[in-house]
Amino acid sequence: MILMQWLILLVLILQPLGQVGAPADALQEASAPSFIVRSEPSPYLAVGDIASFEVTAPPGLDLSEHSVTLSVIHPFIQELGRADFFPGGDRPFRARFPFVWDTGAAGAGTIMLQFSVTPAGWSWTEVIRLHSPPPQETDQQWAVVQLDCCTVHYVTGTRAERELDLLISVSEEQVLKASERMQTVLPEPVNIIFLPRVIGHGGFAGQELFISYPDVNYTNLNLEVVLHHEIVHRLDRELGGPYRPSIFVEGLAVYLSEGHYQEEDLVARSAALLDLGLYLPLQDLANNFYPSQHESGYMLAGALVHYLVEMHGYEAFDRFYRSIQPPQDGRDATAIDLALQQNFAITFAALEEQFIAWLEEQPFDADEQTNVRLTIELYDTLREYQQRLDPSAYFRNVWLFPDPANRERGIVTNWTRWPRYPQNQVIERLLEAAGQDLVAGRYISAEVRLDFIRAMLPGIPTLIELPYQPQFVPLFIE
Ligand SMILES: [Zn+2]
């Protein structure tokens, strides 16, 4: 065994070091495809972390009935676990190892991990650094407030704790408002988890609701709107249906929240979008909802629900939506087409013709159109920033760890640690300021800031190329 470890060390010395987060190519066997391994918390692991790993297969590779085993092979040998690959819908197959390794007993230094895929027989190694615990990450823990409507969770020492009274009153108000609009109540208080870091666009809903409430809120979401949106998702899930296509899941949440990131006139904005030539054909949008241009998709989905409710009433829309059956060909547009014919005697294509003709008649002003264009540009830039400099925050990468067990174990670093290099701080402040400009109608200022970010981004090394810097050095003083 000792000889084996020396051999591994020799390989380490002779080869350039791979790093978790980068494609595993440095030490990979020639026959294995390129898997991507990400670790959480990010952007680095430190002694004391309960580490999680995610393995993503190359696009198009079918790994049904395959699993992957994860082991530490240096400086000690320990099998950490085995995970099955699962299909990712419009994304590649992935396998996840949540909270698989308690690093408390390991020392800081170089760690070598081995991944073995069976039955394919591929295996490769990844080299990571386990760092000393960062001094600023001490004493933070989960705290909870039990309300009638909901159970509010937050991390001590964060903005959520400082503004807890506000979060409590807005949560109570929005649960009530969404329940009244949807004529239903939750069987038990919903868990609302306020996170100190940005994830995605700031809100996610499953069985529990995750809302970003960071000090620098560069997604610029309106708190009432995002809470309402996520609560609608939770109630919608409760009401159920045999098959709920994403275009209507999101369309309903945006429609009932009267806006996407802010309260806004979805119909006027969709008319402005159409006039800009940025309209997305509905059948393609339904079949590829999440990969489509995000803001346009949500806006059109909300306007489409508005249109159907205006034509047929909310109850008839709700009956239609909850009657949609799983499509035989796996395409959402097929499922919607069938249900439209059964409920409203119209095909999806004919409905879209009417919808476009209706949009063409809707008034909008030049300011609204500028706002729509800049909203799309701002959030496209925000996502580019996340992909380059905080990939764990990019909405398609976010790993929520929905199991309440992580809170019971006291794990906070998945949410209290994130990249805070000077370049992250500068760009996040610029995104925040550009978003505030947009809300206030200062379009020239928003555009100047946006141009500045877009000019800077390509010149900044991506996160995986940056040196380790655990100590947070604030560039801005409140
Ligand atoms: Zn949503």
Side-chain angles (χ1 to χ4, degrees):
M1 213 51 92
I2 286 170
L3 177 66
M4 183 66 186
Q5 290 189 22
W6 274 109
L7 280 173
I8 290 165
L9 263 184
L10 190 66
V11 171
L12 261 178
I13 292 161
L14 295 177
Q15 296 271 1
L17 294 188
Q19 189 181 358
V20 167
D25 53 6
L27 302 171
Q28 196 166 315
E29 290 176 8
S31 58
S34 279
F35 288 83
I36 293 173
V37 176
R38 276 197 316 125
S39 62
E40 295 284 346
S42 65
Y44 55 83
L45 293 178
V47 174
D49 285 341
I50 314 289
S52 304
F53 296 91
E54 181 185 69
V55 181
T56 304
L61 185 64
D62 185 346
L63 287 180
S64 334
E65 313 289 318
H66 278 67
S67 61
V68 54
T69 306
L70 165 59
S71 309
V72 178
I73 56 168
H74 172 78
F76 50 89
I77 292 185
Q78 182 185 350
E79 186 173 316
L80 297 178
R82 200 171 79 110
D84 291 334
F85 280 95
F86 58 90
D90 53 23
R91 282 175 285 178
F93 272 76
R94 280 173 294 164
R96 282 178 162 177
F97 297 90
F99 306 119
V100 70
W101 181 30
D102 183 345
T103 65
T110 299
I111 305 286
M112 205 160 172
L113 302 171
Q114 183 168 61
F115 295 83
S116 304
V117 178
T118 49
W122 299 316
S123 111
W124 74 96
T125 47
E126 298 267 347
V127 178
I128 61 167
R129 296 281 304 173
L130 192 59
H131 296 279
S132 303
Q136 77 272 20
E137 283 181 11
T138 50
D139 298 335
Q140 283 186 294
Q141 51 203 274
W142 287 105
V144 67
V145 180
Q146 186 61 58
L147 308 169
D148 287 344
C149 68
C150 29
T151 311
V152 170
H153 301 261
Y154 62 94
V155 177
T156 56
T158 63
R159 184 180 173 194
E161 185 177 53
R162 295 197 305 275
E163 298 178 17
L164 192 57
D165 290 348
L166 171 74
L167 298 185
I168 287 173
S169 68
V170 176
S171 300
E172 284 176 325
E173 193 182 286
Q174 295 306 320
V175 169
L176 190 68
K177 199 167 157 187
S179 299
E180 277 171 3
R181 278 182 179 162
M182 297 182 81
Q183 296 290 297
T184 187
V185 288
L186 289 170
E188 57 198 33
V190 59
N191 277 321
I192 305 180
I193 298 132
F194 288 100
L195 303 172
R197 118 199 263 318
V198 168
I199 49 163
H201 306 97
F204 283 90
Q207 189 67 20
E208 306 185 315
L209 314 183
F210 293 83
I211 309 287
S212 291
Y213 203 63
D215 285 308
V216 180
N217 196 359
Y218 68 84
T219 62
N220 287 290
L221 298 193
N222 174 292
L223 179 64
E224 282 85 359
V225 172
V226 66
L227 264 169
H228 192 272
H229 181 113
E230 305 307 340
I231 293 162
V232 168
H233 280 326
R234 183 64 189 81
L235 290 163
D236 179 19
R237 191 182 157 112
E238 202 63 33
L239 289 166
Y243 187 80
R244 291 176 298 127
S246 305
I247 191 172
F248 286 123
V249 169
E250 297 300 350
L252 182 65
V254 171
Y255 166 71
L256 290 176
S257 306
E258 295 172 44
H260 184 199
Y261 301 135
Q262 306 285 333
E263 278 194 18
E264 58 204 4
D265 185 338
L266 291 164
V267 176
R269 288 172 74 80
S270 296
L273 185 82
L274 179 68
D275 188 67
L276 280 168
L278 298 175
Y279 178 85
L280 304 175
L282 294 183
Q283 303 204 35
D284 282 352
L285 179 62
N287 289 334
N288 304 286
F289 189 78
Y290 291 109
S292 299
Q293 203 292 316
H294 198 81
E295 287 65 40
S296 314
Y298 276 63
M299 201 184 302
L300 288 169
L304 180 65
V305 172
H306 181 114
Y307 178 71
L308 285 167
V309 170
E310 191 166 297
M311 299 305 286
H312 305 285
Y314 187 79
E315 276 179 30
F317 165 76
D318 197 59
R319 266 198 308 278
F320 147 75
Y321 170 46
R322 298 192 196 284
S323 75
I324 299 174
Q325 298 293 321
Q328 299 288 331
D329 61 1
R331 294 158 70 88
D332 283 12
T334 309
I336 294 166
D337 185 54
L338 203 63
L340 280 172
Q341 292 188 49
Q342 285 165 351
N343 282 266
F344 303 131
I346 192 167
T347 63
F348 200 179
L351 174 75
E352 181 166 27
E353 267 182 46
Q354 291 181 4
F355 177 63
I356 291 174
W358 177 73
L359 280 183
E360 280 169 343
E361 289 167 8
Q362 305 301 320
F364 61 87
D365 61 30
D367 264 12
E368 189 81 86
Q369 191 161 47
T370 305
N371 190 309
V372 167
R373 176 176 62 79
L374 288 175
T375 300
I376 292 169
E377 291 180 22
L378 174 63
Y379 286 90
D380 276 346
T381 307
L382 182 150
R383 285 183 289 273
E384 192 190 332
Y385 159 70
Q386 291 178 328
Q387 284 178 278
R388 295 181 66 87
L389 290 169
D390 187 5
S392 291
Y394 178 58
F395 79 112
R396 309 231 71 193
N397 294 342
V398 167
W399 190 356
L400 290 169
F401 301 94
D403 186 350
N406 84 75
R407 290 194 297 277
E408 281 151 26
R409 289 171 71 183
I411 301 168
V412 296
T413 43
N414 289 50
W415 311 118
T416 56
R417 188 182 304 159
W418 65 88
R420 276 180 272 194
Y421 294 98
Q423 48 274 52
N424 291 91
Q425 295 182 51
V426 168
I427 293 180
E428 290 182 10
R429 290 285 180 153
L430 280 167
L431 286 167
E432 182 187 47
Q436 288 166 351
D437 284 340
L438 204 55
V439 172
R442 297 186 296 260
Y443 299 131
I444 293 172
S445 174
E447 194 137 25
V448 168
R449 290 189 213 269
L450 206 46
D451 283 345
F452 192 51
I453 304 168
R454 286 186 290 210
M456 270 199 309
L457 265 182
I460 300 175
T462 56
L463 183 66
I464 54 171
E465 297 157 359
L466 292 171
Y468 169 65
Q469 187 202 39
Q471 193 77 36
F472 170 47
V473 185
L475 286 185
F476 303 93
I477 296 166
E478 293 295 333

